[in-house]
Amino acid sequence: MASQKKIIGGRTYHSEVTWRKKTGENSILDYDKVVGDGGENGMETFNASAIIPGKNKGVFLLKYEELLQRRLGVYEHAVSVRPMQLVGNLLVEVNILETSGITFLEVLPLQNKQKSKNMNATTAPPSTVINQTENFARITFKPNVLQQAKIIQNGILGDFVVRYDVRRELSVGDIQVLNGYFVHYFAPTDLPPLPKNVVFVIDTSASMVGTKIRQTKEALFTILRDLRPDDHFNIIGFSNRIKVWQPNELVKVTSNNIRDAKKFIFGLSPTGGTNINGGIQVASDLLNHYLANNGKHEKSVSLIIFLTDGRPTDGEIESSRILGNTKNAIQEKFCLFSIGIGNDVDFHLLEKLSLENCGMMRRISEDEDAALQLKGFYDEIGTPLLSDIRISYPENSVEYITQNMFYNYFNGSEIVVAGKLVNQSSDILHVEIKASNSNKYVILEADIKIDGAGQNEITGSEIFEDSKEYRNHIERLWGYLTFKELLTGWHKSDSDVQKEAITRKASKLAVKYNFVTPFTLLEVKDHGFQADFPKEESTSLYTEGIGQKLLTLQGKKVTQGSPSELISKNKQSISTTSADGDPHFVVDFPLSKLTVCFNIDGEPGHILRLVSDHKNSGVTVNGELIGAPAPPNGHKKQRTYFSRITIIINKPRRIYIEVTPAKVILDGRDRLILTCDKSATVKNDELMVSISAQSNVTITIQGTISFVILVHRYKNPAPFQRNHLGFYISNSKGLSNNSHGLLGQFLYNEVKVSNVTMRTTGQTKRPFSNVVNMLKVRNRSIPVIRKQRKLYNGLHQVDCWFAKNNAEKLIDGVYEDYLVSHLFDCGNDLITNEI
C-alpha cells in the first residue's frame, strides 16, 4: 500500500492509485514494457515535484507498507538516506512493534556502494540510539552536519539498515487476528536439513568476460565448500556450446569431487553466444535421470540454480518456447532459481522461468560485491528443512485462504498465509501442518486461542498512527498476498481470456487497498492550484533566524540598502587580507602600514584552515582546493583554486554556511539554499548573508565580523580556468587575539621590514655584500621581495612584501599543519596564538 500527500500553501493534495490504461492491443505488451522500464532491482521509483509559491512551505509525505521478507533468520528494513547534500536537520526514526516479542535487533553500518570514510565501519552509524523493550523498539539516527561530513561529504550517506527477529514459541507458528482477518507466520527451526540435489548452470558466453565471470567463480568456490556430505551436485557451463562437468550423473559431495569441480570451474572461459534453452534442458535431463534412479529411496530437495548476464542469442531464442520447453522438462519435480547479473538481462524471461517452476528470481548488480550477493542468494536456499508443506484450517472456520501449499521451506525464511474468519465469535482456530523432512513425514497440530477475533486485538495504536489504514492492516496484508497470487497466475497463463479475468480481479484489489503494482499508477491530482512566481530577477529573503522556518519570500527590485549597494559601498574600505586566485594570500598589517603576501601550493582536495577562533568568537573558516592545468609556458605544473568555502559558527548556536560558485547553503535548525545568480539577503539579530548576483557574498556575524567571498565564474573557460572563490576579511573586530589559521594568525600582529647586509662568496671566491629585505614577525625573520598583487578581479592593486617557499617561517609551523579532514572541521588547532 502506498499513498502520497503534498501540503502546499496550506492546501493538501492527495494521491490516488489508478489502473494503468492499455496502450496497445493487449495488456501483456503493456506489462512487458513496465517491466522493461522498471527501476533498480525491480523497485518502484517515486518522483514528486511541485511549484511552491512565495510566503509558503512545501511538505511531501510518502506513506507505504511492505511485507518484510524473512531471510537468513532475520527481517531487514532499509531506509535510503541520500539527501544529496549535507543537511542541518536530518532524522531517521524506525519503530518496531512485535506482539510476540523481539529476540534479536541490530543496526548495520551504512550500506553504500560509493566510497566513503565509513566503508570499513563494523558498528551502527554515529548518533544512532536504540531504545528497546520486550515488544517494542525505537531506533533513531540523527547525525549533525559534522558527523555527516565525516562519513561522506556529498550527502549520499547510504542505506540505514535495521535487522531483527521475533520469538517463536508455538510449533505451528504465530497467528495474529484483527477485525475478522488473520495472518499465520510459520518459520520452524531446529530441524535437520534435507539432502539436496543441485545443478549449477553458469553462463560462459563472451559477455561474461572480466569481472562477472571472476566474481561468479569466486562465489561458486565458496558455495562448494558449504555443500553437505549428503548432497549431490553437478556443474554446467553454457554459451553456444554446453559443457557438463560430470556427464549423465550427479555426484556425491566428497573432498575429491569438490577439488575436481573447482578445477572445472577454474577452466571455464567466456566465449560465444548464449544458449539459455540448451543449458536448462541439459540440467533438467540430469536431475530427471537422477530422480528416476534414486528418488524412490530418499526424500530430498532438487534445485537448478541458473545464472546468466544476457538474453538468448543461440539455439532456441523465442521466450515463449523456452518457457514451454522448461515447463515440460521440469514437470513440477524440482524448482528453478534464476539469477540475472548486470543490466542486459531479460529479467521478464527469468522471472517467468522461476515463477512457473516453483523458484524465484534475483537481480544481482554488477559491482564490487557481486560475489557476496551471489553467495547470499545461495545461503537463502542452501538449507532446505521441509518439503511438500500443506497448511490446513477447518473449512467451516475460514474462507478466502491465500496460498497454503508450498514446495519447500528453507532455513531462515518464513511462510505466510492469510485469510478471513467465518465465525468471528469463535475463540479457537485449529491448525494442521503436514510436511516431509528427510525420510519421515511431519504432522503438527494445535488449537490456537484467538480471543477478540472480531476486535482490534493487536495493540500499538498509541505508538503508531491510529488511522483507518492501521486498523485494517491484516486485511490489507491478505489483499496483498491475494494480489501476489493473481499476478503469479497472470504470469503463468497463456490464455488471453484467463489473463483478462485475472486482471479484472487484481484491479479491484489494487484500487481498493491502494497497491502500487506493475499494473497501477500513483497519481497526485492537480486541482488547478497555480504558484505566483516573483517576476523580478532579484529577490530578497528575510527570515526571523537562520535555522528558523522561512517566513517571507518577497519578489521585488533591489532598492536602497540592497545587497549589491552594500557591497559596492564596502569595497573602498574593505581590508586587503585575503586568499584569492591560485591561491594568492595577502595580509594587511594596518598598525605597521605594511602588506605581506605569499602563495600556498596545495594539492587538489586539500582543505585549508583559513581562520580559527572557535574557542572565543566561535567562528571557523575552511576552504577546499580544486585543481586545474597550468597555463602554457608557465613555471607551475598545475593551478589550485578554492572551490568551496565553509564558515562554521558555534556561538550562540551552531550554524553552518557553505559557499560555492553556484549557491550558498545555510544550515541551522532548518536548511536554506540560495543561488548566487540572484541578489538576496537573509538576516536576523546574529547573522546577515547578502548576495550580490553573480558577484560576491558577504557574511556578517554579530555585526563585528564580516567576510566577503568573491564569485569567479567563466562563460567560456580556458583549460586552465575553473569557477572558483576568493576569500576576504572585511571586518575582524569580533575575532579574538587568539585567532589562528593561515590568515587569522596575523590579525593582531605588527611587522617590520628592514634592510640587512649579507656577506656571501661568489664564483670568484671573493666575498661581497648583498642587501636583503628581511621581514620580522613574531620574533622570526624572513627574506622578502617587493611584488604587486591584484585584488577584486583586478579592480584594486596593492604593493606587498612577498615571502617565498609556501610561506616558510612566515606562518606558524608548516603548511601541513593547516590541513583539516573535512570542510566542517572546527576542532582543536595543532598550533595556536595562545600564550
Side-chain angles (χ1 to χ4, degrees):
M1 190 278 287
S3 66
Q4 189 185 100
K5 181 167 68 174
K6 298 178 184 178
I7 304 172
I8 301 174
R11 296 181 60 180
T12 302
Y13 301 82
H14 288 277
S15 65
E16 294 179 9
V17 171
T18 59
W19 198 248
R20 285 184 187 268
K21 296 179 180 179
K22 297 181 183 180
T23 57
E25 294 184 358
N26 60 64
S27 58
I28 302 173
L29 295 176
D30 294 348
Y31 179 67
D32 288 350
K33 184 179 186 302
V34 171
V35 172
D37 296 340
E40 181 182 358
N41 294 327
M43 301 298 289
E44 292 289 341
T45 300
F46 296 92
N47 292 311
S49 61
I51 298 172
I52 303 175
K55 304 183 182 180
N56 284 281
K57 181 177 181 178
V59 178
F60 295 84
L61 301 172
L62 175 65
K63 182 194 295 184
Y64 72 96
E65 290 177 304
E66 64 173 320
L67 176 62
L68 294 182
Q69 302 292 321
R70 188 170 185 260
R71 292 172 177 167
L72 300 177
V74 294
Y75 301 100
E76 180 175 294
H77 180 61
V79 180
S80 177
V81 188
R82 293 173 170 84
M84 310 303 289
Q85 56 194 3
L86 300 178
V87 178
N89 187 8
L90 175 62
L91 171 65
V92 176
E93 183 175 302
V94 179
N95 294 307
I96 302 172
L97 174 65
E98 290 287 352
T99 56
S100 56
I102 301 171
T103 59
F104 169 78
L105 176 67
E106 71 171 348
V107 179
L108 302 186
L110 289 169
Q111 306 296 297
N112 197 346
K113 293 176 183 177
Q114 287 204 5
K115 292 184 178 180
S116 71
K117 301 173 185 177
N118 200 51
M119 284 182 64
N120 298 320
T122 57
T123 59
S127 80
T128 300
V129 177
I130 301 175
N131 295 305
Q132 182 179 353
T133 64
E134 182 180 357
N135 301 98
F136 176 72
R138 172 168 289 156
I139 304 101
T140 58
F141 173 52
K142 191 176 182 181
N144 58 36
V145 172
L146 188 63
Q147 290 168 323
Q148 295 171 48
K150 286 183 178 179
I151 298 170
I152 194 167
Q153 294 191 15
N154 61 7
I156 306 177
L157 299 180
D159 291 331
F160 182 76
V161 180
V162 178
R163 288 178 176 170
Y164 75 97
D165 200 19
V166 300
R167 182 176 293 107
R168 304 173 192 280
E169 295 179 351
L170 296 176
S171 59
V172 296
D174 178 41
I175 293 181
Q176 297 177 359
V177 178
L178 184 65
N179 293 336
Y181 286 83
F182 77 92
V183 59
H184 182 188
Y185 301 99
F186 179 57
T189 57
D190 301 325
L191 293 171
L194 285 167
K196 61 180 177 290
N197 316 305
V198 57
V199 180
F200 300 96
V201 185
I202 307 302
D203 189 341
T204 58
S205 62
S207 59
M208 285 286 290
V209 70
T211 303
K212 285 184 279 191
I213 192 64
R214 176 178 59 80
Q215 295 196 333
T216 300
K217 289 179 178 181
E218 289 177 6
L220 282 173
F221 291 154
T222 306
I223 289 169
L224 290 179
R225 290 200 301 267
D226 291 346
L227 293 176
R228 296 180 177 85
D230 291 336
D231 295 340
H232 292 77
F233 74 107
N234 206 335
I235 302 167
I236 296 172
F238 73 94
S239 54
N240 56 328
R241 297 174 57 194
I242 311 297
K243 296 181 180 179
V244 183
W245 170 50
Q246 295 290 338
N248 305 319
E249 64 176 337
L250 268 66
V251 300
K252 192 174 179 63
V253 173
T254 65
S255 57
N256 288 338
N257 285 338
I258 295 295
R259 180 199 61 203
D260 293 343
K262 287 182 178 180
K263 289 180 181 178
F264 175 79
I265 294 169
F266 185 79
L268 293 176
S269 179
T271 183
T274 307
N275 187 352
I276 289 177
N277 184 73
I280 294 176
Q281 291 301 306
V282 173
S284 301
D285 290 343
L286 284 171
L287 276 174
N288 280 319
H289 181 264
Y290 177 83
L291 292 176
N293 294 308
N294 302 278
K296 296 179 182 179
H297 307 291
E298 66 172 26
K299 194 63 181 175
S300 58
V301 171
S302 299
L303 314 169
I304 294 176
I305 298 179
F306 176 81
L307 180 145
T308 182
D309 75 327
R311 302 169 182 270
T313 62
D314 199 84
E316 180 57 68
I317 62 173
E318 185 65 38
S319 294
S320 60
R321 292 181 181 175
I322 295 174
L323 292 167
N325 293 342
T326 303
K327 197 171 184 179
N328 292 332
I330 292 178
Q331 295 182 353
E332 299 185 350
K333 296 177 183 176
F334 43 88
C335 299
L336 186 151
F337 294 84
S338 57
I339 303 169
I341 182 169
N343 299 317
D344 299 325
V345 185
D346 187 346
F347 289 111
H348 184 45
L349 172 61
L350 295 190
E351 187 174 35
K352 292 199 71 172
L353 280 170
S354 295
L355 284 175
E356 291 184 357
N357 298 283
C358 73
M360 59 182 176
M361 185 268 290
R362 181 64 52 83
R363 299 183 181 205
I364 301 294
S365 56
E366 184 184 351
D367 51 33
E368 294 177 358
D369 67 344
L372 291 175
Q373 295 179 64
L374 290 169
K375 178 61 168 59
F377 179 66
Y378 171 79
D379 288 343
E380 291 179 33
I381 60 176
T383 307
L385 299 183
L386 295 173
S387 65
D388 303 323
I389 306 110
R390 181 185 180 92
I391 302 177
S392 302
Y393 316 91
E395 291 184 2
N396 60 349
S397 299
V398 298
E399 61 183 350
Y400 305 125
I401 297 297
T402 60
Q403 178 184 350
N404 63 337
M405 297 180 63
F406 304 87
Y407 287 96
N408 302 300
Y409 167 75
F410 298 101
N411 187 39
S413 63
E414 183 175 57
I415 291 174
V416 182
V417 181
K420 187 176 182 180
L421 296 172
V422 173
N423 184 6
Q424 297 187 22
S425 61
S426 174
D427 59 356
I428 295 292
L429 179 62
H430 183 76
V431 179
E432 180 181 271
I433 301 174
K434 295 181 179 179
S436 297
N437 174 258
S438 191
N439 292 322
K440 60 182 179 294
Y441 286 97
V442 177
I443 300 178
L444 304 173
E445 288 188 86
D447 290 325
I448 306 299
K449 190 174 182 181
I450 52 173
D451 291 339
Q455 305 299 323
N456 186 346
E457 182 188 342
I458 299 176
T459 60
S461 58
E462 71 280 1
I463 300 171
F464 299 104
E465 185 179 3
D466 187 15
S467 62
K468 179 181 178 182
E469 288 82 4
Y470 176 80
R471 291 194 297 271
N472 72 341
H473 72 272
I474 290 184
E475 179 185 346
R476 293 197 312 281
L477 175 55
W478 165 82
Y480 167 74
L481 293 175
T482 302
F483 182 92
K484 194 174 178 182
E485 288 178 28
L486 290 171
L487 187 61
T488 301
W490 189 94
H491 271 294
K492 292 182 177 181
S493 176
D494 295 323
S495 166
D496 289 345
V497 175
Q498 188 178 24
K499 285 193 171 187
E500 189 63 35
I502 292 173
T503 300
R504 283 195 299 271
K505 292 181 182 178
S507 65
K508 292 179 181 179
L509 280 174
V511 173
K512 179 180 179 179
Y513 295 115
N514 276 0
F515 292 154
V516 178
T517 73
F519 295 107
T520 54
L521 296 171
L522 183 65
E523 297 181 331
V524 179
K525 298 298 183 180
D526 184 0
H527 298 285
F529 177 76
Q530 297 293 328
D532 183 18
F533 279 126
K535 296 181 179 179
E536 289 78 12
E537 184 173 345
S538 301
T539 62
S540 296
L541 302 175
Y542 298 90
T543 68
E544 287 190 352
I546 305 305
Q548 299 290 334
K549 295 178 180 178
L550 187 60
L551 297 181
T552 63
L553 173 59
Q554 301 177 347
K556 56 185 179 182
K557 295 180 180 179
V558 179
T559 56
Q560 187 175 3
S562 67
S564 60
E565 290 190 1
L566 290 172
I567 299 301
S568 61
K569 288 179 181 178
N570 288 337
K571 271 188 180 179
Q572 298 166 359
S573 58
I574 244 174
S575 167
T576 57
T577 299
S578 60
D580 204 347
D582 191 8
H584 302 310
F585 286 75
V586 178
V587 181
D588 186 29
F589 294 91
L591 297 177
S592 306
K593 298 182 180 180
L594 289 176
T595 301
V596 176
C597 51
F598 58 92
N599 294 345
I600 291 294
D601 295 326
E603 294 293 329
H606 278 181
I607 300 172
L608 309 183
R609 176 66 48 79
L610 302 178
V611 176
S612 177
D613 193 31
H614 59 278
K615 291 184 179 179
N616 296 283
S617 67
V619 174
T620 303
V621 182
N622 299 323
E624 183 178 31
L625 297 177
I626 189 174
N633 303 319
H635 65 283
K636 288 188 175 182
K637 293 183 179 180
Q638 69 173 355
R639 285 185 165 192
T640 52
Y641 304 94
F642 285 117
S643 62
R644 289 194 291 174
I645 290 175
T646 55
I647 300 170
I648 304 99
I649 305 169
N650 286 329
K651 298 178 181 180
R653 62 174 181 265
R654 179 160 289 195
I655 299 171
Y656 301 93
I657 305 171
E658 179 180 350
V659 182
T660 73
K663 60 187 175 183
V664 180
I665 303 172
L666 292 85
D667 262 317
R669 293 191 189 96
D670 287 334
R671 186 179 183 87
L672 184 62
I673 302 177
L674 305 171
T675 177
C676 291
D677 291 331
K678 293 185 178 181
S679 297
T681 298
V682 175
K683 64 179 181 180
N684 66 5
D685 294 337
E686 304 156 3
L687 177 70
M688 182 173 74
V689 178
S690 297
I691 301 175
S692 180
Q694 301 180 357
S695 176
N696 52 61
V697 180
T698 299
I699 293 109
T700 304
I701 304 164
Q702 301 282 358
T704 59
I705 303 171
S706 292
F707 304 126
V708 176
I709 300 174
L710 295 193
V711 178
H712 302 280
R713 289 164 67 172
Y714 303 92
K715 289 185 178 179
N716 299 298
F720 54 86
Q721 292 176 324
R722 295 289 185 272
N723 292 338
H724 65 280
L725 303 171
F727 175 74
Y728 294 77
I729 300 177
S730 62
N731 184 358
S732 60
K733 290 181 181 179
L735 295 171
S736 74
N737 292 339
N738 291 320
S739 298
H740 213 272
L742 286 169
L743 290 175
Q745 64 185 293
F746 300 113
L747 294 177
Y748 295 96
N749 281 274
E750 293 188 42
V751 295
K752 183 179 180 181
V753 175
S754 57
N755 296 331
V756 177
T757 301
M758 307 285 292
R759 295 182 64 84
T760 59
T761 302
Q763 293 181 353
T764 61
K765 297 186 180 181
R766 292 182 180 180
F768 66 92
S769 298
N770 184 30
V771 178
V772 178
N773 297 310
M774 299 294 290
L775 175 75
K776 189 171 184 181
V777 57
R778 297 166 67 103
N779 298 320
R780 297 191 296 268
S781 295
I782 307 102
V784 291
I785 59 174
R786 201 68 171 163
K787 274 199 173 185
Q788 286 187 334
R789 281 278 187 260
K790 291 183 178 181
L791 306 176
Y792 307 111
N793 288 320
L795 298 178
H796 185 50
Q797 184 170 289
V798 296
D799 294 321
C800 61
W801 292 101
F802 178 73
K804 299 180 180 180
N805 301 326
N806 253 16
E808 183 180 357
K809 294 185 179 181
L810 174 66
I811 58 176
D812 292 334
V814 294
Y815 160 72
E816 287 77 9
D817 294 330
Y818 298 85
L819 299 181
V820 296
S821 60
H822 55 82
L823 276 165
F824 296 95
D825 188 327
C826 59
N828 294 328
D829 296 302
L830 295 177
I831 46 180
T832 70
N833 271 342
E834 295 183 26
I835 300 175

